[in-house]
Amino acid sequence: MSRAAKVVERIAVDQLTKRQANQELARLAQEIARHDKLYHQQDAPEISDAQYDALRQRLTAIEARFPELVTLDSPSLKVAPAPSAGFAKVRHARPMLSLDNAFSDEEVTEFVERVRRFLEREIALDADAEIALTCEPKIDGLSLSIRYEHGELMRAATRGDGSEGEDVTANVRTLADVPKRLKGKAPDALDVRGEVYMRRADFLGLNERQAAAGEKTFANPRNGAAGSLRQLDPTITAGRPLRFFAYAWGEAEPRAWDTQHDFLKRLTQWGFQVNPETKLCRTVDDVLAFYRDIGTRRASVGSASGGSVSCAGRGDCPRLLGFVNRAPAR
């Protein structure tokens, strides 16, 4: 990085000139693209999630101040790099997008209020009606979509660029947490979304075995999970301690549940594992208390990254609210 670029990097967003902003956007786009490739294609991230989020937050803030500088290839309009060439490609029936972030209590409160205002306008929601939120720890693993037709597992794919992912069906069939046939009645066509992850103790054990055998070790549980699932030889995946938590759906025809909480109950009935830390929160204060509790227990919540995920409780919220760029509407 040049000395001039380093100077611009330290300037507050509201102090940037238009020329400096353009220069900084170019730097951030290049940096984000590099880290995306390391994370999604090489399973070898060099920075923490918080550092990565800070890069994206600065880029978004600059684009908000200078919207005329937003380009069609801006990282703010993308989910992830294209899938790698090692696997066949699968197009998702519904977009598989990444999560948006809230960095303060005020942003969480504003998210809930935006949802309320929208629902009051679109479906005449009562002003004093409850908006329940389903909250769970954020799992640091690899996002996955598993396609079932008439209850049978047909295909599994990574998120990829959000529209198209990698076909990892043979590997996913080796995971004990993923049912090959759903129990009971399920939609004729169903995409179950969730996260392949590795418990911390299992990750440490795997690294010990890898080191003893003179093989590559992994930097963190997320790398271990992603690297283990994205093997061209399914027998290698079968020998790795991978787990799967289900938490969302893509296509679901016909859909017979009304809320996210109800859907999680159905997941367990079908044979999936759902994060036992999941909680139904009925107020913003409940959501914030949940987040802080998970933060204090981060070390003991063996698969969590320290954050939490909140989903508006109505099952039709994603359809009603729509999507904004790379993340579900917040």
Side-chain angles (χ1 to χ4, degrees):
M1 185 189 302
S2 69
R3 180 176 298 178
K6 289 182 178 179
V7 171
V8 172
E9 181 185 7
R10 292 193 294 267
I11 299 175
V13 171
D14 60 358
Q15 299 298 316
L16 290 170
T17 66
K18 186 173 182 178
R19 180 178 179 181
Q20 290 171 329
N22 199 39
Q23 179 183 353
E24 179 69 342
L25 286 175
R27 182 193 72 82
L28 288 167
Q30 184 177 29
E31 188 76 358
I32 290 169
R34 186 174 76 85
H35 290 300
D36 277 344
K37 186 174 182 179
L38 286 168
Y39 186 94
H40 292 285
Q41 296 184 356
Q42 299 178 24
D43 302 319
E46 293 180 350
I47 61 175
S48 68
D49 286 352
Q51 291 170 315
Y52 178 80
D53 287 343
L55 293 175
R56 278 195 171 272
Q57 189 180 31
R58 181 169 173 84
L59 178 135
T60 301
I62 294 173
E63 288 184 339
R65 184 170 175 230
F66 297 98
E68 68 275 16
L69 298 182
V70 179
T71 61
L72 293 178
D73 60 350
S74 169
S76 64
L77 304 179
K78 298 179 181 179
V79 174
S84 65
F87 295 86
K89 306 302 183 291
V90 173
R91 181 157 290 275
H92 300 301
R94 297 284 186 275
M96 195 174 181
L97 305 180
S98 59
L99 296 171
D100 205 353
N101 295 308
F103 294 94
S104 67
D105 292 4
E106 291 74 19
E107 289 183 4
V108 174
T109 300
E110 175 55 24
F111 159 58
V112 176
E113 288 306 311
R114 286 203 307 273
V115 171
R116 177 180 293 282
R117 289 193 297 270
F118 185 91
L119 295 179
E120 286 176 355
R121 182 172 69 251
E122 294 297 317
I123 62 171
L125 183 75
D126 292 340
D128 58 350
E130 176 184 86
I131 297 181
L133 298 171
T134 303
C135 299
E136 62 188 272
K138 181 178 180 294
I139 302 302
D140 198 13
L142 184 70
S143 296
L144 194 69
S145 181
I146 308 174
R147 175 80 173 184
Y148 290 85
E149 294 180 4
H150 302 287
E152 297 282 350
L153 193 162
M154 302 300 294
R155 186 173 61 249
T158 63
R159 184 175 66 192
D161 64 4
S163 297
E164 188 176 73
E166 299 166 338
D167 188 335
V168 289
T169 307
N171 300 39
V172 169
R173 286 185 179 276
T174 71
L175 304 188
D177 286 349
V178 175
K180 313 309 177 285
R181 180 172 180 78
L182 301 182
K183 301 175 183 177
K185 178 64 176 175
D188 293 339
L190 175 66
D191 295 331
V192 174
R193 272 114 191 241
E195 201 86 358
V196 175
Y197 69 97
M198 196 175 288
R199 292 174 175 170
R200 190 170 302 278
D202 291 336
F203 160 72
L204 294 174
L206 173 63
N207 262 357
E208 289 178 2
R209 294 191 294 276
Q210 292 287 103
E215 301 288 340
K216 170 188 173 183
T217 58
F218 299 98
N220 53 57
R222 190 270 168 195
N223 284 23
S228 297
L229 183 72
R230 296 171 70 248
Q231 293 285 333
L232 296 179
D233 181 357
T235 62
I236 297 177
T237 300
R240 300 287 174 81
L242 295 177
R243 308 299 300 262
F244 179 74
F245 274 144
Y247 52 67
W249 71 91
E251 182 178 18
E253 298 295 339
R255 178 167 64 82
W257 55 89
D258 294 323
T259 69
Q260 170 71 9
H261 192 63
D262 289 342
F263 175 68
L264 295 181
K265 290 180 180 178
R266 289 178 181 266
L267 283 172
T268 60
Q269 294 168 0
W270 292 329
F272 288 99
Q273 298 295 315
V274 172
N275 195 318
E277 297 283 349
T278 300
K279 182 178 180 181
L280 185 63
C281 296
R282 301 187 180 279
T283 67
V284 173
D285 287 341
D286 289 344
V287 173
L288 295 174
F290 176 86
Y291 167 75
R292 295 186 181 104
D293 176 57
I294 290 298
T296 60
R297 296 189 295 113
R298 179 176 180 178
S300 62
V301 183
S303 54
S305 67
S308 63
V309 178
S310 299
C311 177
R314 287 179 55 96
D316 54 0
C317 269
R319 175 182 61 81
L320 287 169
L321 294 170
F323 297 90
V324 179
N325 298 333
R326 60 188 288 273
R330 286 293 193 249

